[in-house]
Amino acid sequence: MNIRSIGLIYRREMGTYFSSYIAYVVIAMFLLVTGYFFYNLLASFSVISFQAQSNPMLERQYNLLNINETVVRPLFGNISIVMLLMTPLLTMRLIAEERKSGTLELLRSYPVSDIDILLAKYFACLTVFLAMIIPTIVYPVLLVILGEPEIMPMVTGYLGLLLLGATFISIGLFTSSLTENQIIAAAVSFGLLFCFWLLSYSIAFVSADLGKFIGYIALNEHLESLAKGVLDSEDIIYYLGLIALFIFLSLRSMESRQW
Amino acid sequence: MIAVENLIKDYGSHRAIDDVSFSMEKGEILGFLGPNGAGKTTMMRILTCCMPATSGRATVAGYDCFDEPLEVRRRIGYLPERVPLYDDMRVSDYLEFVAGMKGMTASSVPDSVRQVAENCGLSDVYGRRIGAISRGYRQRVGLAQALVNDPEILILDEPTVGLDPGQIKEIRALIKDLSGRHTIILSTHILPEVSLLCSKVVIINQGKLVAMDTPENLGAQVGGSSRLLLHIGGPPEQVETALGQVSGVTSVQRDGTSQVDECRFFVDFDQGQNPRKDLQALIAENNWELMEMRSISASLEDVFIKLVTRED
């Protein structure tokens, strides 16, 4: 592993993300959609709060007046769905674009190992992802100013989003390494991400043991507990393991694609 | 410097390179000649460790391309056929990126980048975006990235393709200039390029090596004998018989378009013989007029066509 090469490729990748406006457009759309979600959640919360003044029964229902339960937790759920739609757009070009243009061949004729190339690209994409997710901190900050939410679930929720995004990117990196067509890379990573996501729907239909297993491998189940404020090392290990697995698979794919 | 032994490369069921062996010494310029699809680019990709061979060995500067790719890559500069560059980067930034990637120390990067840009004639486009410069400049940027760390070995895949004649001349001059200090492999299907630049030619066709020699020897090898064209003023029949009797001459052919008192003849003679003097004497003796005499050696083009079509 050569830190200098990684740094150089990282800087070049960042240059491409921003000079091609991919980063600006994806970040802008992400903030637009998540902002809209946040606005609606907050609006419905305030409507319920007003109704609760005249109808005390409402207060006892479903934790409706707990801002963590009605705004913060759904907000993380919504943000993670928008992430699921946006990250493949960031990752699809990572390897596929360079494979198509032939620059990958030239890059690999330099004394640099495949893992350095992959890590540099992974971290560049992760940085753009951070630039995308950090502005959303405005939403919980607004909640803290306007109301009295619990802080801890928000902190662990963000940790969850970060780990989830990092996992999405590793899956996207892998699908991008499979092909030279960016559309195919994006389509396959959408497919993989949705499958990992929707697995949890099957829990109800299968036996308890299998359900437990599916609950463990489904991507969003782990975010759920983090968004509740439960910091469990199991969740963190799950995401880190998945990231390592997909970076390893990308490496194998790069090597085998030499024909 | 470069040695290839019994190299085979299969793409699925298609055999792109079939048992090719050759070697070259330091400072040589080796021309890879072959029709499109002969396996030139495949060979270069193997030598630059972009992909492994199916079987056989390739060593560059003493390092095996399969076992020690990083050591090989440290010593080569590669210009791929399509000249893939990052269009969104400036020429200067790109060359600095490549210099860094090739492991040059940070302090030596700016100077060597400026130097190589100047040598490759890039001063005018130094600050421009690569996507916005012309084909000729792109090619030079490609060459500059191969040269930036002054590698021992240069591997250039069709370095002059797609350029206008003036640019071709410049690039060739640049390559010529590099010979001696660098070991260069270049592939091309432009024949004069090989005779101009290369000290050694490898001709491959359908993945097989069909010939390897110096451009001159190759011409001789295929020609077998040497040939002179003579244009002589005199009675054709008489001249023809007389020419045939000169020692060393193996055959005389009369050109079809002969007139009554002058004619063109093709005179073949054995290699190593030089019947020119005797021919002159003969003509002077008979008081004929010598209007033209020149040697026709088999050009590389003839060699190429002969070798490549002989297979079929």
mmCIF file of all heavy atoms in Angstrom, chain B residues 135-181:
data_model
loop_
_atom_site.group_PDB
_atom_site.id
_atom_site.type_symbol
_atom_site.label_atom_id
_atom_site.label_comp_id
_atom_site.label_asym_id
_atom_site.label_seq_id
_atom_site.Cartn_x
_atom_site.Cartn_y
_atom_site.Cartn_z
ATOM 1 N N ARG B 135 -5.918 16.522 -31.498
ATOM 2 C CA ARG B 135 -5.439 15.137 -31.546
ATOM 3 C C ARG B 135 -3.916 15.050 -31.467
ATOM 4 O O ARG B 135 -3.351 14.238 -30.764
ATOM 5 C CB ARG B 135 -5.959 14.509 -32.848
ATOM 6 C CG ARG B 135 -5.597 13.060 -33.093
ATOM 7 C CD ARG B 135 -6.397 12.158 -32.186
ATOM 8 N NE ARG B 135 -5.521 11.195 -31.573
ATOM 9 C CZ ARG B 135 -5.435 9.914 -31.897
ATOM 10 N NH1 ARG B 135 -6.217 9.418 -32.770
ATOM 11 N NH2 ARG B 135 -4.589 9.119 -31.302
ATOM 12 N N GLY B 136 -3.264 15.932 -32.214
ATOM 13 C CA GLY B 136 -1.809 15.912 -32.235
ATOM 14 C C GLY B 136 -1.216 16.204 -30.869
ATOM 15 O O GLY B 136 -0.276 15.547 -30.432
ATOM 16 N N TYR B 137 -1.809 17.195 -30.187
ATOM 17 C CA TYR B 137 -1.321 17.518 -28.851
ATOM 18 C C TYR B 137 -1.615 16.396 -27.867
ATOM 19 O O TYR B 137 -0.826 16.089 -26.986
ATOM 20 C CB TYR B 137 -1.945 18.828 -28.364
ATOM 21 C CG TYR B 137 -1.209 20.053 -28.849
ATOM 22 C CD1 TYR B 137 -1.851 21.046 -29.568
ATOM 23 C CD2 TYR B 137 0.140 20.216 -28.568
ATOM 24 C CE1 TYR B 137 -1.178 22.170 -30.016
ATOM 25 C CE2 TYR B 137 0.830 21.328 -29.011
ATOM 26 C CZ TYR B 137 0.165 22.307 -29.724
ATOM 27 O OH TYR B 137 0.839 23.403 -30.162
ATOM 28 N N ARG B 138 -2.791 15.784 -28.019
ATOM 29 C CA ARG B 138 -3.130 14.643 -27.146
ATOM 30 C C ARG B 138 -2.054 13.574 -27.230
ATOM 31 O O ARG B 138 -1.609 13.024 -26.236
ATOM 32 C CB ARG B 138 -4.442 14.002 -27.607
ATOM 33 C CG ARG B 138 -5.675 14.500 -26.957
ATOM 34 C CD ARG B 138 -6.846 13.678 -27.449
ATOM 35 N NE ARG B 138 -7.067 12.534 -26.592
ATOM 36 C CZ ARG B 138 -7.765 12.591 -25.478
ATOM 37 N NH1 ARG B 138 -8.319 13.717 -25.108
ATOM 38 N NH2 ARG B 138 -7.937 11.522 -24.739
ATOM 39 N N GLN B 139 -1.684 13.271 -28.496
ATOM 40 C CA GLN B 139 -0.679 12.246 -28.721
ATOM 41 C C GLN B 139 0.624 12.614 -28.012
ATOM 42 O O GLN B 139 1.284 11.778 -27.417
ATOM 43 C CB GLN B 139 -0.445 12.116 -30.231
ATOM 44 C CG GLN B 139 0.250 10.847 -30.641
ATOM 45 C CD GLN B 139 -0.713 9.673 -30.697
ATOM 46 O OE1 GLN B 139 -1.899 9.865 -30.932
ATOM 47 N NE2 GLN B 139 -0.198 8.478 -30.494
ATOM 48 N N ARG B 140 0.951 13.907 -28.074
ATOM 49 C CA ARG B 140 2.184 14.338 -27.433
ATOM 50 C C ARG B 140 2.073 14.293 -25.917
ATOM 51 O O ARG B 140 3.047 13.989 -25.235
ATOM 52 C CB ARG B 140 2.519 15.768 -27.866
ATOM 53 C CG ARG B 140 2.994 15.804 -29.286
ATOM 54 C CD ARG B 140 3.555 17.138 -29.577
ATOM 55 N NE ARG B 140 3.009 17.659 -30.818
ATOM 56 C CZ ARG B 140 3.404 18.781 -31.351
ATOM 57 N NH1 ARG B 140 4.309 19.513 -30.752
ATOM 58 N NH2 ARG B 140 2.895 19.189 -32.487
ATOM 59 N N VAL B 141 0.878 14.606 -25.407
ATOM 60 C CA VAL B 141 0.693 14.480 -23.953
ATOM 61 C C VAL B 141 0.872 13.008 -23.562
ATOM 62 O O VAL B 141 1.507 12.688 -22.564
ATOM 63 C CB VAL B 141 -0.702 14.990 -23.506
ATOM 64 C CG1 VAL B 141 -0.913 14.716 -22.020
ATOM 65 C CG2 VAL B 141 -0.831 16.475 -23.776
ATOM 66 N N GLY B 142 0.327 12.119 -24.402
ATOM 67 C CA GLY B 142 0.480 10.688 -24.155
ATOM 68 C C GLY B 142 1.947 10.289 -24.135
ATOM 69 O O GLY B 142 2.390 9.519 -23.273
ATOM 70 N N LEU B 143 2.691 10.818 -25.072
ATOM 71 C CA LEU B 143 4.119 10.513 -25.128
ATOM 72 C C LEU B 143 4.833 11.111 -23.913
ATOM 73 O O LEU B 143 5.699 10.472 -23.308
ATOM 74 C CB LEU B 143 4.689 11.082 -26.436
ATOM 75 C CG LEU B 143 5.930 10.422 -26.988
ATOM 76 C CD1 LEU B 143 5.725 8.937 -27.187
ATOM 77 C CD2 LEU B 143 6.317 11.079 -28.308
ATOM 78 N N ALA B 144 4.414 12.320 -23.547
ATOM 79 C CA ALA B 144 5.042 13.000 -22.400
ATOM 80 C C ALA B 144 4.805 12.209 -21.116
ATOM 81 O O ALA B 144 5.714 12.079 -20.292
ATOM 82 C CB ALA B 144 4.488 14.409 -22.256
ATOM 83 N N GLN B 145 3.585 11.664 -20.949
ATOM 84 C CA GLN B 145 3.330 10.901 -19.721
ATOM 85 C C GLN B 145 4.174 9.629 -19.682
ATOM 86 O O GLN B 145 4.574 9.177 -18.621
ATOM 87 C CB GLN B 145 1.836 10.621 -19.505
ATOM 88 C CG GLN B 145 1.153 9.704 -20.517
ATOM 89 C CD GLN B 145 1.412 8.228 -20.269
ATOM 90 O OE1 GLN B 145 1.639 7.815 -19.141
ATOM 91 N NE2 GLN B 145 1.403 7.451 -21.325
ATOM 92 N N ALA B 146 4.451 9.062 -20.873
ATOM 93 C CA ALA B 146 5.301 7.868 -20.893
ATOM 94 C C ALA B 146 6.737 8.223 -20.526
ATOM 95 O O ALA B 146 7.457 7.445 -19.928
ATOM 96 C CB ALA B 146 5.241 7.210 -22.267
ATOM 97 N N LEU B 147 7.155 9.446 -20.909
ATOM 98 C CA LEU B 147 8.557 9.833 -20.765
ATOM 99 C C LEU B 147 8.883 10.524 -19.454
ATOM 100 O O LEU B 147 10.044 10.707 -19.136
ATOM 101 C CB LEU B 147 8.918 10.811 -21.890
ATOM 102 C CG LEU B 147 9.047 10.241 -23.288
ATOM 103 C CD1 LEU B 147 9.169 11.368 -24.287
ATOM 104 C CD2 LEU B 147 10.276 9.357 -23.347
ATOM 105 N N VAL B 148 7.853 10.898 -18.698
ATOM 106 C CA VAL B 148 8.073 11.891 -17.647
ATOM 107 C C VAL B 148 9.119 11.476 -16.607
ATOM 108 O O VAL B 148 9.888 12.306 -16.140
ATOM 109 C CB VAL B 148 6.727 12.288 -16.985
ATOM 110 C CG1 VAL B 148 6.166 11.154 -16.153
ATOM 111 C CG2 VAL B 148 6.868 13.533 -16.154
ATOM 112 N N ASN B 149 9.190 10.200 -16.307
ATOM 113 C CA ASN B 149 10.195 9.792 -15.308
ATOM 114 C C ASN B 149 11.432 9.198 -15.966
ATOM 115 O O ASN B 149 12.205 8.512 -15.323
ATOM 116 C CB ASN B 149 9.588 8.800 -14.310
ATOM 117 C CG ASN B 149 9.128 7.529 -14.985
ATOM 118 O OD1 ASN B 149 8.820 7.555 -16.186
ATOM 119 N ND2 ASN B 149 9.071 6.442 -14.260
ATOM 120 N N ASP B 150 11.603 9.482 -17.272
ATOM 121 C CA ASP B 150 12.771 9.026 -18.004
ATOM 122 C C ASP B 150 12.996 7.517 -17.840
ATOM 123 O O ASP B 150 14.041 7.080 -17.365
ATOM 124 C CB ASP B 150 14.011 9.795 -17.526
ATOM 125 C CG ASP B 150 15.089 9.810 -18.588
ATOM 126 O OD1 ASP B 150 14.740 9.727 -19.776
ATOM 127 O OD2 ASP B 150 16.275 9.878 -18.221
ATOM 128 N N PRO B 151 11.995 6.699 -18.211
ATOM 129 C CA PRO B 151 12.101 5.262 -17.977
ATOM 130 C C PRO B 151 13.105 4.607 -18.940
ATOM 131 O O PRO B 151 13.369 5.148 -20.009
ATOM 132 C CB PRO B 151 10.692 4.754 -18.250
ATOM 133 C CG PRO B 151 10.142 5.712 -19.238
ATOM 134 C CD PRO B 151 10.772 7.040 -18.951
ATOM 135 N N GLU B 152 13.626 3.452 -18.512
ATOM 136 C CA GLU B 152 14.596 2.754 -19.358
ATOM 137 C C GLU B 152 13.946 2.263 -20.641
ATOM 138 O O GLU B 152 14.559 2.197 -21.691
ATOM 139 C CB GLU B 152 15.140 1.520 -18.627
ATOM 140 C CG GLU B 152 15.906 1.803 -17.364
ATOM 141 C CD GLU B 152 16.130 0.509 -16.589
ATOM 142 O OE1 GLU B 152 16.660 -0.438 -17.203
ATOM 143 O OE2 GLU B 152 15.770 0.447 -15.408
ATOM 144 N N ILE B 153 12.681 1.851 -20.503
ATOM 145 C CA ILE B 153 12.017 1.182 -21.609
ATOM 146 C C ILE B 153 10.750 1.930 -21.994
ATOM 147 O O ILE B 153 9.975 2.330 -21.125
ATOM 148 C CB ILE B 153 11.662 -0.267 -21.211
ATOM 149 C CG1 ILE B 153 12.944 -1.047 -20.936
ATOM 150 C CG2 ILE B 153 10.828 -0.953 -22.279
ATOM 151 C CD1 ILE B 153 12.736 -2.265 -20.105
ATOM 152 N N LEU B 154 10.567 2.113 -23.285
ATOM 153 C CA LEU B 154 9.350 2.757 -23.764
ATOM 154 C C LEU B 154 8.571 1.773 -24.613
ATOM 155 O O LEU B 154 9.139 1.108 -25.485
ATOM 156 C CB LEU B 154 9.701 3.971 -24.632
ATOM 157 C CG LEU B 154 10.150 5.218 -23.892
ATOM 158 C CD1 LEU B 154 10.650 6.247 -24.889
ATOM 159 C CD2 LEU B 154 9.001 5.793 -23.083
ATOM 160 N N ILE B 155 7.289 1.681 -24.363
ATOM 161 C CA ILE B 155 6.429 0.807 -25.149
ATOM 162 C C ILE B 155 5.355 1.681 -25.776
ATOM 163 O O ILE B 155 4.514 2.246 -25.083
ATOM 164 C CB ILE B 155 5.830 -0.302 -24.266
ATOM 165 C CG1 ILE B 155 6.980 -1.151 -23.716
ATOM 166 C CG2 ILE B 155 4.854 -1.151 -25.062
ATOM 167 C CD1 ILE B 155 6.550 -2.279 -22.839
ATOM 168 N N LEU B 156 5.429 1.853 -27.086
ATOM 169 C CA LEU B 156 4.559 2.802 -27.769
ATOM 170 C C LEU B 156 3.683 2.053 -28.763
ATOM 171 O O LEU B 156 4.176 1.440 -29.711
ATOM 172 C CB LEU B 156 5.397 3.850 -28.514
ATOM 173 C CG LEU B 156 6.539 4.506 -27.711
ATOM 174 C CD1 LEU B 156 7.385 5.385 -28.613
ATOM 175 C CD2 LEU B 156 5.994 5.305 -26.550
ATOM 176 N N ASP B 157 2.384 2.109 -28.525
ATOM 177 C CA ASP B 157 1.453 1.402 -29.405
ATOM 178 C C ASP B 157 0.937 2.374 -30.466
ATOM 179 O O ASP B 157 0.161 3.271 -30.158
ATOM 180 C CB ASP B 157 0.301 0.841 -28.574
ATOM 181 C CG ASP B 157 -0.418 -0.298 -29.275
ATOM 182 O OD1 ASP B 157 -0.123 -0.527 -30.465
ATOM 183 O OD2 ASP B 157 -1.265 -0.945 -28.637
ATOM 184 N N GLU B 158 1.381 2.199 -31.679
ATOM 185 C CA GLU B 158 1.003 3.056 -32.802
ATOM 186 C C GLU B 158 1.102 4.535 -32.447
ATOM 187 O O GLU B 158 0.099 5.249 -32.434
ATOM 188 C CB GLU B 158 -0.420 2.709 -33.265
ATOM 189 C CG GLU B 158 -0.599 1.212 -33.430
ATOM 190 C CD GLU B 158 -1.397 0.843 -34.659
ATOM 191 O OE1 GLU B 158 -2.067 1.717 -35.216
ATOM 192 O OE2 GLU B 158 -1.317 -0.325 -35.078
ATOM 193 N N PRO B 159 2.329 5.007 -32.219
ATOM 194 C CA PRO B 159 2.471 6.372 -31.718
ATOM 195 C C PRO B 159 2.112 7.460 -32.737
ATOM 196 O O PRO B 159 1.874 8.590 -32.340
ATOM 197 C CB PRO B 159 3.947 6.463 -31.339
ATOM 198 C CG PRO B 159 4.612 5.412 -32.135
ATOM 199 C CD PRO B 159 3.609 4.318 -32.307
ATOM 200 N N THR B 160 2.052 7.135 -34.016
ATOM 201 C CA THR B 160 1.800 8.207 -34.981
ATOM 202 C C THR B 160 0.451 8.088 -35.658
ATOM 203 O O THR B 160 0.146 8.830 -36.575
ATOM 204 C CB THR B 160 2.882 8.225 -36.084
ATOM 205 O OG1 THR B 160 2.882 6.950 -36.727
ATOM 206 C CG2 THR B 160 4.234 8.510 -35.521
ATOM 207 N N VAL B 161 -0.383 7.182 -35.196
ATOM 208 C CA VAL B 161 -1.667 6.978 -35.866
ATOM 209 C C VAL B 161 -2.576 8.192 -35.639
ATOM 210 O O VAL B 161 -2.584 8.797 -34.578
ATOM 211 C CB VAL B 161 -2.325 5.662 -35.380
ATOM 212 C CG1 VAL B 161 -2.983 5.824 -34.035
ATOM 213 C CG2 VAL B 161 -3.308 5.142 -36.390
ATOM 214 N N GLY B 162 -3.250 8.599 -36.686
ATOM 215 C CA GLY B 162 -4.215 9.691 -36.568
ATOM 216 C C GLY B 162 -3.621 11.083 -36.547
ATOM 217 O O GLY B 162 -4.300 12.034 -36.211
ATOM 218 N N LEU B 163 -2.342 11.194 -36.883
ATOM 219 C CA LEU B 163 -1.726 12.518 -36.897
ATOM 220 C C LEU B 163 -1.573 13.008 -38.341
ATOM 221 O O LEU B 163 -1.559 12.209 -39.268
ATOM 222 C CB LEU B 163 -0.342 12.455 -36.245
ATOM 223 C CG LEU B 163 -0.304 12.001 -34.797
ATOM 224 C CD1 LEU B 163 1.127 11.983 -34.301
ATOM 225 C CD2 LEU B 163 -1.139 12.920 -33.934
ATOM 226 N N ASP B 164 -1.449 14.327 -38.500
ATOM 227 C CA ASP B 164 -1.202 14.830 -39.857
ATOM 228 C C ASP B 164 0.283 14.678 -40.184
ATOM 229 O O ASP B 164 1.100 14.480 -39.283
ATOM 230 C CB ASP B 164 -1.734 16.255 -40.019
ATOM 231 C CG ASP B 164 -0.953 17.269 -39.220
ATOM 232 O OD1 ASP B 164 0.288 17.163 -39.170
ATOM 233 O OD2 ASP B 164 -1.586 18.164 -38.647
ATOM 234 N N PRO B 165 0.632 14.754 -41.469
ATOM 235 C CA PRO B 165 2.025 14.439 -41.863
ATOM 236 C C PRO B 165 3.081 15.236 -41.103
ATOM 237 O O PRO B 165 4.123 14.697 -40.736
ATOM 238 C CB PRO B 165 2.042 14.775 -43.346
ATOM 239 C CG PRO B 165 0.637 14.602 -43.794
ATOM 240 C CD PRO B 165 -0.218 15.006 -42.634
ATOM 241 N N GLY B 166 2.788 16.511 -40.847
ATOM 242 C CA GLY B 166 3.761 17.321 -40.113
ATOM 243 C C GLY B 166 3.973 16.797 -38.703
ATOM 244 O O GLY B 166 5.108 16.669 -38.233
ATOM 245 N N GLN B 167 2.871 16.449 -38.062
ATOM 246 C CA GLN B 167 2.958 15.933 -36.693
ATOM 247 C C GLN B 167 3.669 14.588 -36.658
ATOM 248 O O GLN B 167 4.452 14.313 -35.757
ATOM 249 C CB GLN B 167 1.552 15.791 -36.102
ATOM 250 C CG GLN B 167 0.851 17.118 -35.909
ATOM 251 C CD GLN B 167 -0.638 16.950 -35.666
ATOM 252 O OE1 GLN B 167 -1.246 15.979 -36.090
ATOM 253 N NE2 GLN B 167 -1.233 17.909 -34.993
ATOM 254 N N ILE B 168 3.366 13.741 -37.675
ATOM 255 C CA ILE B 168 4.019 12.442 -37.752
ATOM 256 C C ILE B 168 5.527 12.625 -37.788
ATOM 257 O O ILE B 168 6.272 11.973 -37.055
ATOM 258 C CB ILE B 168 3.538 11.662 -38.991
ATOM 259 C CG1 ILE B 168 2.090 11.221 -38.785
ATOM 260 C CG2 ILE B 168 4.429 10.445 -39.260
ATOM 261 C CD1 ILE B 168 1.486 10.485 -39.954
ATOM 262 N N LYS B 169 5.961 13.581 -38.609
ATOM 263 C CA LYS B 169 7.390 13.844 -38.751
ATOM 264 C C LYS B 169 7.987 14.255 -37.402
ATOM 265 O O LYS B 169 9.053 13.784 -37.013
ATOM 266 C CB LYS B 169 7.592 14.951 -39.786
ATOM 267 C CG LYS B 169 8.776 14.712 -40.693
ATOM 268 C CD LYS B 169 8.796 15.719 -41.810
ATOM 269 C CE LYS B 169 10.216 15.939 -42.279
ATOM 270 N NZ LYS B 169 10.316 17.058 -43.215
ATOM 271 N N GLU B 170 7.259 15.122 -36.701
ATOM 272 C CA GLU B 170 7.767 15.594 -35.406
ATOM 273 C C GLU B 170 7.869 14.463 -34.388
ATOM 274 O O GLU B 170 8.860 14.346 -33.675
ATOM 275 C CB GLU B 170 6.844 16.677 -34.841
ATOM 276 C CG GLU B 170 7.025 18.022 -35.506
ATOM 277 C CD GLU B 170 6.002 19.018 -34.991
ATOM 278 O OE1 GLU B 170 5.698 18.978 -33.781
ATOM 279 O OE2 GLU B 170 5.498 19.818 -35.790
ATOM 280 N N ILE B 171 6.814 13.661 -34.327
ATOM 281 C CA ILE B 171 6.812 12.570 -33.346
ATOM 282 C C ILE B 171 7.938 11.584 -33.670
ATOM 283 O O ILE B 171 8.650 11.115 -32.783
ATOM 284 C CB ILE B 171 5.449 11.837 -33.340
ATOM 285 C CG1 ILE B 171 4.346 12.772 -32.833
ATOM 286 C CG2 ILE B 171 5.511 10.577 -32.498
ATOM 287 C CD1 ILE B 171 4.299 12.992 -31.357
ATOM 288 N N ARG B 172 8.129 11.311 -34.968
ATOM 289 C CA ARG B 172 9.204 10.393 -35.355
ATOM 290 C C ARG B 172 10.557 10.954 -34.972
ATOM 291 O O ARG B 172 11.425 10.224 -34.479
ATOM 292 C CB ARG B 172 9.165 10.154 -36.864
ATOM 293 C CG ARG B 172 8.119 9.154 -37.246
ATOM 294 C CD ARG B 172 8.182 8.881 -38.724
ATOM 295 N NE ARG B 172 7.010 8.142 -39.144
ATOM 296 C CZ ARG B 172 6.545 8.133 -40.383
ATOM 297 N NH1 ARG B 172 7.153 8.829 -41.315
ATOM 298 N NH2 ARG B 172 5.478 7.434 -40.679
ATOM 299 N N ALA B 173 10.709 12.257 -35.173
ATOM 300 C CA ALA B 173 11.987 12.878 -34.809
ATOM 301 C C ALA B 173 12.214 12.745 -33.304
ATOM 302 O O ALA B 173 13.325 12.451 -32.854
ATOM 303 C CB ALA B 173 11.976 14.344 -35.224
ATOM 304 N N LEU B 174 11.132 12.928 -32.565
ATOM 305 C CA LEU B 174 11.214 12.808 -31.108
ATOM 306 C C LEU B 174 11.641 11.402 -30.695
ATOM 307 O O LEU B 174 12.514 11.207 -29.852
ATOM 308 C CB LEU B 174 9.842 13.148 -30.517
ATOM 309 C CG LEU B 174 9.741 13.439 -29.044
ATOM 310 C CD1 LEU B 174 10.627 14.604 -28.675
ATOM 311 C CD2 LEU B 174 8.293 13.751 -28.683
ATOM 312 N N ILE B 175 11.034 10.397 -31.333
ATOM 313 C CA ILE B 175 11.357 9.010 -30.996
ATOM 314 C C ILE B 175 12.798 8.699 -31.379
ATOM 315 O O ILE B 175 13.548 8.099 -30.613
ATOM 316 C CB ILE B 175 10.381 8.044 -31.697
ATOM 317 C CG1 ILE B 175 8.967 8.229 -31.146
ATOM 318 C CG2 ILE B 175 10.831 6.603 -31.503
ATOM 319 C CD1 ILE B 175 7.897 7.495 -31.900
ATOM 320 N N LYS B 176 13.175 9.153 -32.562
ATOM 321 C CA LYS B 176 14.550 8.947 -33.039
ATOM 322 C C LYS B 176 15.532 9.526 -32.017
ATOM 323 O O LYS B 176 16.564 8.936 -31.716
ATOM 324 C CB LYS B 176 14.710 9.637 -34.402
ATOM 325 C CG LYS B 176 15.966 9.274 -35.140
ATOM 326 C CD LYS B 176 15.735 8.075 -36.037
ATOM 327 C CE LYS B 176 17.058 7.493 -36.496
ATOM 328 N NZ LYS B 176 16.889 6.164 -37.094
ATOM 329 N N ASP B 177 15.166 10.694 -31.523
ATOM 330 C CA ASP B 177 15.980 11.395 -30.556
ATOM 331 C C ASP B 177 16.150 10.599 -29.256
ATOM 332 O O ASP B 177 17.144 10.724 -28.559
ATOM 333 C CB ASP B 177 15.294 12.731 -30.257
ATOM 334 C CG ASP B 177 16.291 13.770 -29.834
ATOM 335 O OD1 ASP B 177 17.369 13.820 -30.447
ATOM 336 O OD2 ASP B 177 15.994 14.512 -28.884
ATOM 337 N N LEU B 178 15.143 9.813 -28.943
ATOM 338 C CA LEU B 178 15.154 9.050 -27.693
ATOM 339 C C LEU B 178 15.976 7.778 -27.794
ATOM 340 O O LEU B 178 16.351 7.184 -26.785
ATOM 341 C CB LEU B 178 13.730 8.659 -27.303
ATOM 342 C CG LEU B 178 12.791 9.793 -26.935
ATOM 343 C CD1 LEU B 178 11.368 9.293 -26.877
ATOM 344 C CD2 LEU B 178 13.198 10.385 -25.608
ATOM 345 N N SER B 179 16.238 7.343 -29.019
ATOM 346 C CA SER B 179 16.927 6.067 -29.183
ATOM 347 C C SER B 179 18.338 6.176 -28.635
ATOM 348 O O SER B 179 18.894 7.249 -28.519
ATOM 349 C CB SER B 179 16.956 5.680 -30.657
ATOM 350 O OG SER B 179 17.684 6.650 -31.365
ATOM 351 N N GLY B 180 18.897 5.049 -28.282
ATOM 352 C CA GLY B 180 20.230 5.062 -27.697
ATOM 353 C C GLY B 180 20.133 5.071 -26.194
ATOM 354 O O GLY B 180 20.546 4.142 -25.533
ATOM 355 N N ARG B 181 19.480 6.116 -25.640
ATOM 356 C CA ARG B 181 19.344 6.189 -24.191
ATOM 357 C C ARG B 181 18.238 5.262 -23.695
ATOM 358 O O ARG B 181 18.248 4.815 -22.559
ATOM 359 C CB ARG B 181 19.043 7.625 -23.754
ATOM 360 C CG ARG B 181 20.272 8.518 -23.817
ATOM 361 C CD ARG B 181 19.909 9.914 -23.391
ATOM 362 N NE ARG B 181 18.983 10.540 -24.326
ATOM 363 C CZ ARG B 181 17.855 11.120 -23.976
ATOM 364 N NH1 ARG B 181 17.478 11.110 -22.718
ATOM 365 N NH2 ARG B 181 17.079 11.677 -24.874
#
